[in-house]
C-alpha cells in the first residue's frame, strides 16, 4: 500500500533532497511510495536488500531508489545512492500522511494551565491536559488525551501521540517521538519490607531524555528514586519496554520490544538489546554491546561484542532430555575434576 503525497514531487526534487544520482526524466512526478512488487506508475519504490532483486525487472514503478551497482538492471528511472535504505528512511517522511494533519492551535476541549509556557506553532489536541509550570517548545505536537505533568519540559519539534502520559518533573529533548500509551516518569518500583508487609518509598527523582529519542507504545520509563533516570540522545525504544528507576541508557542505543531493565543499571553507547532481553539491577554494560533476543544478563559486561544466553527452540523431546542434563552438569563437572586429578597422579 502506498502513502500518497497530494502535491506530488518530481524525480529531480527527490534526487536533490536525497543527494542521489538521477537516471531518467527529472520532470516525472510521483505521488506515492510503495514496495517493488506493489508500486504503480505514479509511485517511487526502493531496493535496499538483494533478496528483493528478483522483483526489480517487473516493477511498474515510475522510479526506483537503489545502489549504483543495480542501475543497469533497472527497467525504469532510478535514483542511485550508496545507502538506499537510509535514503528510503528519508524518503518515507516526504509521503507521511501525518505531516498534512499538523495544524498548530489548541483544541477547545484541552485544559492548558495559565502557568504553562507554550511555544510557537504548537498543536494541542482534544482532551489534553497541560499542568502548571510546563514548557512546550516550538512546533511541539501533543496528541488527543495526553497529559504533561507539572514542571515538565518538552523540546521543540517533539511529538506526543494520543494518550501519552508525561509525569511531573520530566525533561524531554528536541524531536522526541512518544507513541500512544507510553508513560514517562511514573514511580519506580521502590518498597521497603518490615517482615510482614511493604512500605512505599517516595520516588523523588525525575527523567531526563535527550534529543531524537523515540519511545514505543505502552513502554514505561520510571522516574529516579533520588537522582534521575537518564535516556541520552538518539536512543530508540520499542513497544512494551520497561526501564526502571535510575537506569541510564547511552546515546545511539536501541532496545527492541519487551526488554526489561532493572533499577540503577547503566547501558553504554551504541548498544543493541534484542526482543525480550532482561538486565538485572545495578549492572554496567559497556559501549558497543549487542545482546541477542530473550537473553538474561545477570553480570556486568565490560568488553564490547555479541552476548547470548538460554537455548534455542528445538524438538520438545530433545529439549526434555537436555533439561535433565542441565541438572546433572554440576555433578558431571565434579566427576571430571576427580578424573583429572586421578589421571595426573597416575
Amino acid at each position: 500500500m502506498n502513502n500518497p503525497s497530494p502535491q506530488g514531487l518530481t524525480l529531480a526534487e527527490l534526487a536533490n533532497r536525497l543527494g542521489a544520482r538521477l537516471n531518467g526524466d527529472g520532470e516525472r512526478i510521483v505521488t506515492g511510495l510503495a514496495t517493488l512488487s506493489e508500486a504503480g506508475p505514479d509511485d517511487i519504490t526502493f531496493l535496499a536488500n538483494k533478496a528483493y532483486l528478483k522483483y526489480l525487472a517487473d516493477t511498474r514503478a515510475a522510479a526506483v531508489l537503489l545502489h549504483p551497482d543495480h542501475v543497469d538492471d533497472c527497467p525504469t528511472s532510478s535514483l542511485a545512492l550508496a545507502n538506499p535504505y537510509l535514503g528510503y528512511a528519508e524518503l518515507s517522511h516526504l509521503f507521511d500522511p501525518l505531516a498534512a494533519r499538523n495544524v498548530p492551535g489548541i483544541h477547545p476541549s484541552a485544559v492548558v494551565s495559565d502557568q504553562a509556557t507554550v511555544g510557537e506553532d504548537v498543536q494541542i489536541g482534544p482532551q489534553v491536559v497541560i499542568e502548571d509550570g510546563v514548557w512546550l517548545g516550538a512546533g511541539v505536537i501533543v496528541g488527543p488525551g495526553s497529559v504533561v505533568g507539572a514542571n515538565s519540559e518538552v523540546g521543540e519539534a517533539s511529538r506526543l501521540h494520543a494518550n501519552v502520559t508525561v509525569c511531573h518533573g520530566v525533561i524531554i529533548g528536541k524531536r522526541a517521538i512518544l507513541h500512544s500509551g507510553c508513560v514517562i516518569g511514573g514511580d519506580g518500583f521502590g518498597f521497603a519490607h518490615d517482615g510482614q508487609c511493604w512500605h512505599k518509598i517516595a520516588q523523588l527523582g525525575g527523567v531526563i531524555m535527550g534529543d531524537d529519542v523515540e519511545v514505543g507504545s505502552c513502554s514505561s520509563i520510571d522516574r529516579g528514586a533520588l537522582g534521575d533516570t537518564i535516556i541520552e540522545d538518539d536512543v530508540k525504544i520499542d513497544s512494551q519496554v520497561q526501564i526502571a528507576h535510575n537506569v541510564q541508557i547511552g546515546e545511539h542505543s536501541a532496545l527492541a520490544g519487551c526488554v526489561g531493565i532493572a533499577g540503577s543499571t547503566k547501558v553504554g553507547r551504541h548498544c543493541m538489546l534484542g526482543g525480550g532481553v532482561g538486565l538485572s539491577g545495578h549492572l554496567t554494560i559497556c559501549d558497543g554491546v549487542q545482546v541477542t533476543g530473550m537473553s538474561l544478563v545477570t553480570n556486568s559486561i565490560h568488553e564490547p561484542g555479541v552476548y547470548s544466553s538460554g537455548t534455542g527452540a528445538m524438538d520438545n523431546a530433545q529439549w526434555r532430555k537436555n533439561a535433565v542434563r542441565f541438572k546433572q552438569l554440576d555433578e558431571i563437572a565434579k566427576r571430571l575434576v576427580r578424573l583429572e586429578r586421578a589421571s595426573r597422579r597416575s
Side-chain angles (χ1 to χ4, degrees):
M1 180 180 295
N2 57 1
N3 297 314
S5 173
Q7 299 83 8
L9 297 163
T10 68
L11 295 183
E13 289 173 326
L14 292 176
N16 183 60
R17 292 191 188 211
L18 300 176
R21 188 181 79 243
L22 173 63
N23 300 280
D25 180 9
E27 298 305 312
R28 180 72 179 271
I29 295 176
V30 293
T31 58
L33 173 63
T35 64
L36 271 171
S37 58
E38 295 180 345
D42 295 321
D43 297 327
I44 186 169
T45 187
F46 66 99
L47 174 63
N49 187 326
K50 291 182 180 180
Y52 296 94
L53 186 59
K54 58 188 176 183
Y55 299 116
L56 180 59
D58 296 325
T59 188
R60 298 170 54 241
V64 182
L65 177 67
L66 41 61
H67 190 275
D69 291 348
H70 301 302
V71 169
D72 292 340
D73 300 319
C74 185
T76 185
S77 297
S78 64
L79 279 69
L81 200 62
N83 189 338
Y85 195 69
L86 188 60
Y88 158 64
E90 187 171 348
L91 193 64
S92 66
H93 293 285
L94 303 178
F95 295 91
D96 185 357
L98 279 178
R101 295 162 51 189
N102 297 342
V103 180
I106 300 175
H107 193 275
S109 65
V111 178
V112 180
S113 169
D114 292 338
Q115 300 178 42
T117 300
V118 178
E120 296 182 354
D121 299 323
V122 167
Q123 177 180 336
I124 298 177
Q127 306 298 323
V128 166
V129 176
I130 307 294
E131 296 185 349
D132 294 350
V134 167
W135 181 85
L136 302 179
V140 165
I141 298 172
V142 185
S146 293
V147 176
V148 182
N151 303 312
S152 289
E153 300 180 9
V154 181
E156 62 188 56
S158 292
R159 183 180 201 119
L160 281 59
H161 287 268
N163 300 311
V164 167
T165 300
V166 175
C167 299
H168 64 280
V170 169
I171 298 176
I172 296 172
K174 300 175 183 177
R175 299 175 299 278
I177 300 175
L178 307 182
H179 289 276
S180 296
C182 71
V183 179
I184 312 299
D187 279 357
F189 194 64
F191 300 88
H193 199 269
D194 66 4
Q196 293 185 335
C197 60
W198 295 100
H199 299 264
K200 183 176 178 61
I201 299 171
Q203 304 294 288
L204 306 180
V207 175
I208 300 176
M209 294 173 54
D211 298 338
D212 302 298
V213 172
E214 182 159 353
V215 181
S217 59
C218 299
S219 289
S220 296
I221 301 176
D222 292 346
R223 66 191 318 104
L226 290 173
D228 297 316
T229 301
I230 299 175
I231 312 296
E232 295 185 359
D233 292 349
D234 193 39
V235 170
K236 309 303 182 187
I237 299 170
D238 200 358
S239 300
Q240 299 183 23
V241 169
Q242 163 64 23
I243 297 177
H245 56 226
N246 299 103
V247 166
Q248 297 183 27
I249 309 292
E251 59 187 18
H252 313 298
S253 290
L255 286 59
C258 297
V259 163
I261 304 179
S264 300
T265 283
K266 297 181 180 180
V267 177
R269 298 174 297 170
H270 297 282
C271 291
M272 293 188 290
L273 306 182
V277 164
L279 303 185
S280 295
H282 303 275
L283 304 183
T284 298
I285 309 299
C286 70
D287 297 347
V289 167
Q290 179 179 348
V291 183
T292 60
M294 301 298 291
S295 296
L296 175 62
V297 180
T298 57
N299 295 293
S300 293
I301 298 175
H302 302 293
E303 296 290 335
V306 181
Y307 294 80
S308 302
S309 75
T311 60
M314 63 188 76
D315 176 79
N316 181 256
Q318 182 64 42
W319 182 87
R320 290 169 67 89
K321 292 177 182 178
N322 290 337
V324 173
R325 297 290 187 264
F326 296 154
K327 296 179 181 179
Q328 298 171 342
L329 285 178
D330 184 59
E331 179 57 31
I332 291 172
K334 292 177 180 177
R335 290 174 58 190
L336 180 60
V337 169
R338 291 196 295 268
L339 288 171
E340 288 176 340
R341 289 174 178 171
S343 176
R344 283 195 296 268
R345 287 195 295 269
S346 62

